[in-house]
Amino acid sequence: MQNDGSDLFIIILLGFFLMVVMVSFIVIMVIYHRQRQIKNQQKVREIQAEYEKTILNVEKELREDILAYVGRELHDNVGQLLSLAKMYLSSPKLEKVSEGKGMINEIIHEVRALSKSLNLDWVEAISLEDFIQKELKKLETAEFCKVAFHQSGQTLQLEKDKKLVLLRIIQECLNNAVKHAFPKLIEISVDSDSARSVIRVRDDGKGFEYNGQSSGSGIYNLKNRMATIGGEMVLKSAPGKGTEIKLILPNQNP
Amino acid sequence: MIRIALADDHKMFAKGIASLLEENDDFRIEGIFSNGLELIKFLESNEVDVVLTDMNMPFLDGAGVIESVKRLIPNSKVIVLSMYDEEEIFLKCKKLGADAYVLKNADSDELIYTIKEVNEGTHIMSFQKVLQQNIEDGYSDFYKEKFKLSKRELQLVRMIKQGMTNKGIAENLHLSIHTVESHRKKVHSKLKVSSVAELVKKAIELGI
């Protein structure tokens, strides 16, 4: 009987012990799970923040670019036209004076267009294709090089933020070509089907040594940006062979 | 006849200036180019007296044009036509050997005078004179209309009226004495006077 009592005690003790183990296991699992959840949320928030930061930076850079462009235009174009108009208007010949008035008219148009470009709202309204053609046109009017634009497939449908990032990336590609490549021709093609869109920016300029690894922060940045909007950037270049950049973006609504 | 070649990447500006200069019988425009390189290529096989160049141009800029012209054809003169009223840029051009520096917003008369002076070799380069090109005298239009007096001639008449000598006027307007004398002759014929006394009397009458 005495033995029975101690057996029972041991059983109860074991049972109790087992229960403690189980309870602590559950508690630990719950805590572990919670922590993972928090970590995941944090990650999602970080990605979101990164995305928003990219958009903000892109907007800022677009703005800076526009300001620089407007400044340049005011100095190199509007300023010169005004100087010329002034000379024409002070000419004793009547036909020169009326030509001067014509110039003032042109200056009014130029200034109006410049003030319009200062407002970023146009980004929402413009299609990617139109934007590309506009940027190419700028290079052509500045007599920097020849340009070409091709399009096949459907027109791109992009939400505003993605479009903004893509516009900026294309602008950066063109800036790089202007700054470093000295090409005779810059060609951009947009090729879009239901699965994906491919934008190809190609120049026949100097090119550079590129082995897939980013040499500078510039290319790294562009690739990163392309990744934030769920796309991919592939760059091919070799000295003397020009540069080709492919921007690939999967289409969300197949 | 002064033969002129002109380079400016703003095509409309280049054409506009050329067409203004062509109104003047003393000038002949030999070529208009939109960058320095094309201009220099042209100059390798064509002769001109005066080269007008912009500062900011693709391929070969104004500084490059001055250098090349001075090296290849030291007899030709170079006048810089610039948007910049900064002394640093003025001095750089002067150092490179430019013969004159005219702001794009100067009077067309100023440009015409400068081309003639540079061609004669009587031009004096001075940054003060460049800055004066910025100042617009509102009264000048009236006299220009009525007596065909240029801004510079008007300044000259005012200074003569104040009793200044040729030397004083030359220093004040950064011109050579020779230039002042030739301006005086023109003023005399335009206002139909033949002596200083008559000129002063006429100036007072006209309210100059």
Side-chain angles (χ1 to χ4, degrees), chain B residues 55-98:
Chain B
M55 277 312 279
N56 272 341
M57 286 184 296
F59 306 120
L60 187 71
D61 65 359
V65 167
I66 302 171
E67 263 179 329
S68 307
V69 171
K70 289 292 152 186
R71 200 180 58 236
L72 296 169
I73 14 169
N75 283 335
S76 293
K77 312 280 190 190
V78 181
I79 299 175
V80 178
L81 249 182
S82 169
M83 287 286 283
Y84 303 99
D85 59 354
E86 285 149 45
E87 190 160 20
E88 207 178 304
I89 297 170
F90 169 82
L91 289 174
K92 185 180 162 199
C93 292
K94 195 175 171 186
K95 207 174 149 204
L96 286 169

Side-chain angles (χ1 to χ4, degrees), chain B residues 5-66:
Chain B
L6 164 68
D8 197 308
D9 62 338
H10 196 297
K11 281 195 176 152
M12 191 170 165
F13 186 83
K15 273 193 199 135
I17 290 288
S19 122
L20 275 178
L21 292 178
E22 265 171 349
E23 302 270 293
N24 196 308
D25 294 335
D26 297 333
F27 301 142
R28 196 169 74 214
I29 307 292
E30 302 282 340
I32 307 170
F33 308 94
S34 62
N35 65 63
L37 214 57
E38 283 175 26
L39 169 76
I40 297 299
K41 261 188 212 150
F42 172 80
L43 292 178
E44 277 166 4
S45 50
N46 295 274
E47 209 179 314
V48 301
D49 302 304
V50 176
V51 170
L52 290 179
T53 180
D54 184 22
M55 277 312 279
N56 272 341
M57 286 184 296
F59 306 120
L60 187 71
D61 65 359
V65 167
I66 302 171

Side-chain angles (χ1 to χ4, degrees), chain A residues 232-250:
Chain A
E232 192 194 347
M233 175 179 132
V234 183
L235 190 146
K236 265 196 283 182
S237 186
K241 296 234 165 95
T243 304
E244 184 191 81
I245 295 168
K246 252 196 262 183
L247 307 169
I248 304 155
L249 199 64

Side-chain angles (χ1 to χ4, degrees), chain A residues 103-148:
Chain A
M103 280 174 205
I104 298 279
N105 229 348
E106 181 163 331
I107 295 163
I108 291 169
H109 283 295
E110 299 272 336
V111 169
R112 205 172 279 157
L114 280 182
S115 69
K116 245 187 212 165
S117 71
L118 274 174
N119 191 335
L120 263 193
D121 288 346
W122 60 265
V123 173
E124 219 159 328
I126 199 169
S127 75
L128 189 86
E129 289 85 351
D130 285 346
F131 172 82
I132 291 172
Q133 277 172 298
K134 232 171 136 178
E135 290 292 298
L136 287 176
K137 182 97 197 173
K138 274 190 209 166
L139 293 179
E140 199 177 28
T141 356
E143 288 189 19
F144 176 74
C145 66
K146 287 205 176 106
V147 299

Side-chain angles (χ1 to χ4, degrees), chain A:
Chain A
M1 280 314 266
Q2 256 195 345
N3 227 351
D4 276 0
S6 75
D7 274 357
L8 193 70
F9 179 69
I10 287 172
I11 287 168
I12 290 171
L13 201 71
L14 267 175
F16 180 71
F17 187 68
L18 214 70
M19 222 168 75
V20 169
V21 168
M22 270 172 67
V23 165
S24 47
F25 178 74
I26 289 169
V27 168
I28 286 169
M29 279 307 286
V30 165
I31 289 174
Y32 177 72
H33 191 73
R34 275 294 293 167
Q35 259 172 355
R36 265 192 47 177
Q37 227 176 0
I38 289 169
K39 241 186 211 164
N40 270 343
Q41 277 173 356
Q42 221 167 7
K43 224 176 194 171
V44 167
R45 267 203 299 271
E46 265 169 29
I47 289 171
Q48 184 68 26
E50 186 66 29
Y51 184 74
E52 275 161 20
K53 208 175 95 189
T54 304
I55 301 290
L56 272 181
N57 274 339
V58 161
E59 265 184 38
K60 199 181 109 212
E61 284 172 26
L62 273 172
R63 249 178 241 286
E64 279 167 5
D65 226 71
I66 290 167
L67 269 187
Y69 171 73
V70 169
R72 228 169 23 239
E73 278 293 297
L74 281 178
H75 185 273
D76 294 346
N77 189 18
V78 174
Q80 308 219 46
L81 283 175
L82 278 171
S83 298
L84 192 63
K86 180 186 147 192
M87 285 192 195
Y88 270 64
L89 288 177
S90 62
S91 166
K93 289 219 167 138
L94 213 59
E95 60 184 76
K96 285 270 176 280
V97 171
S98 82
E99 269 181 65
K101 281 179 190 157
M103 280 174 205
I104 298 279
N105 229 348
E106 181 163 331
I107 295 163
I108 291 169
H109 283 295
E110 299 272 336
V111 169
R112 205 172 279 157
L114 280 182
S115 69
K116 245 187 212 165
S117 71
L118 274 174
N119 191 335
L120 263 193
D121 288 346
W122 60 265
V123 173
E124 219 159 328
I126 199 169
S127 75
L128 189 86
E129 289 85 351
D130 285 346
F131 172 82
I132 291 172
Q133 277 172 298
K134 232 171 136 178
E135 290 292 298
L136 287 176
K137 182 97 197 173
K138 274 190 209 166
L139 293 179
E140 199 177 28
T141 356
E143 288 189 19
F144 176 74
C145 66
K146 287 205 176 106
V147 299
F149 177 72
H150 313 283
Q151 184 182 9
S152 62
Q154 61 213 48
T155 44
L156 256 67
Q157 299 294 335
L158 294 162
E159 47 188 291
K160 187 198 168 198
D161 286 352
K162 277 192 180 177
K163 187 164 76 181
L164 207 67
V165 175
L166 210 50
L167 294 188
R168 181 62 195 160
I169 291 173
I170 293 168
Q171 215 172 35
E172 281 285 288
C173 292
L174 290 175
N175 281 350
N176 284 339
V178 168
K179 261 191 244 160
H180 308 296
F182 305 106
K184 288 197 182 71
L185 173 72
I186 294 180
E187 223 175 334
I188 299 185
S189 64
V190 180
D191 191 352
S192 182
D193 59 30
S194 53
R196 61 179 200 168
S197 304
V198 181
I199 298 152
R200 203 191 306 253
V201 183
R202 194 169 20 200
D203 71 61
D204 61 355
K206 282 202 307 195
F208 56 96
E209 201 68 62
Y210 184 73
N211 52 8
Q213 232 104 51
S214 297
S215 43
S217 66
I219 295 167
Y220 175 78
N221 250 334
L222 289 180
K223 285 195 163 180
N224 235 354
R225 283 197 173 157
M226 209 52 211
T228 35
I229 56 169
E232 192 194 347
M233 175 179 132
V234 183
L235 190 146
K236 265 196 283 182
S237 186
K241 296 234 165 95
T243 304
E244 184 191 81
I245 295 168
K246 252 196 262 183
L247 307 169
I248 304 155
L249 199 64
N251 283 344
Q252 7 3 17
N253 354 296

